[in-house]
Amino acid sequence: MPYDPERHGPERIVGPGFHERVFELVKRVPSGQVTTYGDVAAALGMRSVARKVGHALSSLPAERDDVPWHRVVNAAGRISRPLDTTSGTHQRDLLAVEGSATDSKGRVLEFAARRYAFDE
DNA sequence: CGGCTGACGACCT
DNA sequence: GAGGTCGCCAGCC
């Protein structure tokens, strides 16, 4: 069983340019809304690479301030970084500024309602 | 080249 | 809701 779409998604398209495609998608998420690593992966047609989406964002250069990486949270609607780290508190603060407050555990309030839907 | 490690996620207790 | 398991896959040792 070399490839099973039920398990790996419609196609395997990981390759050069993967990071850029992740960035382009994340840039579509409007202020006040959030998305998840899994949703971004699914929008790329690869449900299995949610983890790589996180890796792509972790390697995002500080100069790329045009990419709202902080609007990407995990499937539970929570910030996927310890809240006792600078990156964790930074993400929390950026979200709060645009109206997406989080609870004590880092979960975005009204997560379901703020979840952005990638159409297409 | 084998083993470990994640900004993950679906499932099961 | 709070843990633990297992599958994924590029990057690093």
Side-chain angles (χ1 to χ4, degrees):
Chain A
M1 186 212 300
Y3 171 61
D4 180 356
E6 282 304 305
R7 290 162 56 77
H8 307 117
E11 54 189 326
R12 289 171 182 278
I13 43 182
V14 184
F18 176 75
H19 285 203
E20 280 306 318
R21 278 192 286 170
V22 169
F23 300 157
E24 287 307 307
L25 240 41
V26 174
K27 284 167 66 172
R28 292 170 44 180
V29 182
S31 173
Q33 285 194 267
V34 299
T35 188
T36 71
Y37 301 96
D39 285 348
V40 173
L44 287 173
M46 304 176 283
R47 290 184 301 172
S48 64
V49 298
R51 223 163 183 162
K52 279 178 51 56
V53 172
H55 191 74
L57 294 179
S58 70
S59 67
L60 184 68
E63 311 80 69
R64 295 300 299 277
D65 52 1
D66 57 314
V67 181
W69 58 272
H70 58 282
R71 293 178 193 147
V72 186
V73 297
N74 62 31
R78 305 211 292 136
I79 292 174
S80 268
R81 294 254 18 168
L83 288 176
D84 55 7
T85 62
T86 46
S87 55
T89 56
H90 188 194
Q91 179 165 11
R92 178 201 60 194
D93 295 342
L94 288 173
L95 286 172
V97 169
E98 54 187 53
S100 298
T102 53
D103 63 19
S104 61
K105 299 195 221 40
R107 183 174 187 285
V108 175
L109 301 183
E110 299 300 317
F111 168 58
R114 295 177 186 287
R115 192 168 184 170
Y116 179 71
F118 288 102
D119 297 316
E120 292 115 290

